[in-house]
Amino acid sequence: MKKLICFLIIVMLHSIIFSQNCSCEENFKWLKTTFEENDAGFSYVLAEKGENEYKNYNEKFTKKIKLISNNKDCAKTLSDWLSYFRSGHLSLKLIEEKNSVELTSSSEKPSIYNLHNNTLVLVIPSFEYSEKQSIDSLLLANHNKITSTENLIIDLRNNGGGSDESYYELIPFLYTNPIRTIGVELLSTKLNNKRLKDYIDNKSTTKANRIIATNYLQQLKNSLGEFVNLDSKRVHIKTLDTIYTYPKKIGVVINQDNGSTTEQFLLSAKQSKKVKLFGTTTAGVLDISNMYFVNSPCNEFELGYSISRSMRIPDMTIDNKGIPPDYYIDKSIPDKKWIEFVSKILTDN
């Protein structure tokens, strides 16, 4: 019995020691394997850049990583390695630093104001799900004003995205014809599917959603290693019964810090006959999305990668390109004068 206890203690100590002493090389091997096997964008980038280039890239980093002895430098180097694949929907963080930062929602809230008698300005700093209620309430309270004013300017500058649900109530104000949205495919792997399993097991998940998710999970399990379109539709078409007379013209103000969900909104908004985009080209981080977060074996790092890819690929990619404006606003016009610039064009036209 004593020998058994001693053996268990040794095993426990070995486990503790190992969990505290993962080298940067070991963490890199975990990162590389996890990313290659599970990220929805990996195969696309590999096909685009070629295996030889990727091999040379890895050899360079392998040499660099051997010289690293602390987690902070390791985290930076691993993040640099990830940047090869895309600029958004990717992250690598030290867990101790992540936990030490208080997570707070944006202090900027959506707002609306009269610019002129015939022009309203709607400002939406974020589409984070936490802002959905504020956005919906603002639109509801100002519904009559918006639908009786000739011009609407929607200022989305620096809105980095969030949840698609946050902009749903905005769509009716700009709608003129059916809106087509291209669907996504999920990469089915055991790790990726755990995300859906966790959702099913979550006590807050409703019975109805649990049934739907269970069906989806079975589809994914039946197609391990493949991309799966869960609802079998490639294109979703949104049709509304009402087309508002006002606003007649809508200017959406964008810049280089718009990404993800904000870009998805723009793809929908651009289909309206009322809408024109003003500003600069967006960030271009939309094609590979739906992030999943996993910890390294020693719980030192958190990797955020993506499990879905848009079926717009390769015909209409947004990543690394962005969405260009209809009216480019050059640097000779300062930021504080952008709204007046947009207003003048809407009014003059």
Side-chain angles (χ1 to χ4, degrees), residues 25-246:
E25 285 183 88
E26 290 170 316
N27 283 315
F28 178 56
K29 288 177 183 176
W30 161 78
L31 171 64
K32 185 173 179 292
T33 300
T34 303
F35 188 81
E36 289 177 348
E37 293 179 354
N38 299 284
D39 183 75
F42 172 73
S43 59
Y44 175 66
V45 174
L46 186 64
E48 194 175 49
K49 297 190 176 183
E51 293 191 12
N52 285 336
E53 181 184 319
Y54 181 55
K55 180 182 177 183
N56 293 334
Y57 181 77
N58 285 324
E59 288 176 353
K60 181 183 75 173
F61 269 86
T62 299
K63 292 177 183 177
K64 188 175 182 180
I65 283 168
K66 285 181 180 179
L67 304 175
I68 296 174
S69 59
N70 66 80
N71 281 345
K72 194 167 185 178
D73 289 342
C74 185
K76 184 182 184 309
T77 305
L78 297 184
S79 294
D80 289 344
W81 180 82
L82 279 175
S83 67
Y84 178 81
F85 301 97
R86 58 182 177 272
S87 58
H89 292 142
L90 272 182
S91 67
L92 194 287
K93 297 178 181 178
L94 265 174
I95 290 177
E96 60 181 25
E97 290 185 355
K98 174 178 173 286
N99 292 338
S100 66
V101 177
E102 184 180 357
L103 302 170
T104 56
S105 60
S106 173
S107 58
E108 292 185 271
K109 294 295 179 183
S111 59
I112 193 167
Y113 64 90
N114 282 94
L115 183 66
H116 303 296
N117 289 335
N118 66 342
T119 304
L120 281 175
V121 179
L122 173 65
V123 183
I124 305 180
S126 172
F127 280 131
E128 288 294 340
Y129 187 74
S130 58
E131 300 301 313
K132 174 177 169 54
Q133 186 175 357
S134 296
I135 295 170
D136 292 353
S137 298
L138 183 69
L139 294 175
L140 181 61
N142 291 276
H143 182 277
N144 292 340
K145 183 183 287 188
I146 296 172
T147 55
S148 61
T149 303
E150 186 174 355
N151 300 322
L152 174 66
I153 297 174
I154 305 173
D155 188 353
L156 298 180
R157 285 176 292 178
N158 306 318
N159 183 330
S163 167
D164 289 4
E165 292 183 42
S166 295
Y167 67 70
Y168 285 169
E169 298 304 318
L170 184 55
I171 294 295
F173 295 104
L174 55 85
Y175 180 84
T176 59
N177 47 275
I179 297 172
R180 299 170 63 87
T181 302
I182 308 299
V184 300
E185 299 173 303
L186 298 180
L187 176 59
S188 175
T189 69
K190 288 183 178 180
L191 181 59
N192 291 354
N193 297 347
K194 186 178 181 300
R195 181 177 185 256
L196 191 55
K197 181 66 166 61
D198 292 342
Y199 174 76
I200 293 169
D201 294 339
N202 192 314
K203 292 181 180 179
S204 64
T205 302
T206 65
K207 183 178 179 180
N209 286 342
R210 188 174 289 115
I211 291 171
I212 295 171
T214 301
N215 178 50
Y216 285 163
L217 182 59
Q218 191 56 53
Q219 289 184 57
L220 291 167
K221 285 182 175 179
N222 292 340
S223 304
L224 283 175
E226 300 175 9
F227 281 92
V228 181
N229 179 8
L230 290 176
D231 63 7
S232 73
K233 290 183 180 179
R234 184 178 183 86
V235 180
H236 299 265
I237 302 175
K238 185 179 183 67
T239 303
L240 300 180
D241 296 329
T242 302
I243 300 175
Y244 291 113
T245 302
Y246 291 99

Side-chain angles (χ1 to χ4, degrees), residues 272-341:
S272 168
K273 297 172 185 176
K274 296 182 177 186
V275 173
K276 293 295 182 183
L277 307 185
F278 295 78
T280 59
T281 301
T282 61
V285 286
L286 179 62
D287 301 333
I288 309 298
S289 58
N290 282 305
M291 289 184 72
Y292 187 36
F293 298 88
V294 295
N295 289 357
S296 63
C298 295
N299 288 316
E300 296 165 311
F301 300 97
E302 179 194 73
L303 166 66
Y305 66 95
S306 297
I307 66 172
S308 73
R309 72 179 182 189
S310 171
M311 285 187 278
R312 284 182 285 97
I313 295 175
D315 300 325
M316 186 184 171
T317 56
I318 302 300
D319 285 9
N320 301 318
K321 295 178 181 178
I323 299 173
D326 298 298
Y327 290 82
Y328 170 59
I329 301 181
D330 62 80
K331 292 183 179 179
S332 68
I333 303 172
D335 288 354
K336 62 183 180 180
K337 293 187 178 180
W338 278 27
I339 299 300
E340 276 292 354
F341 174 84

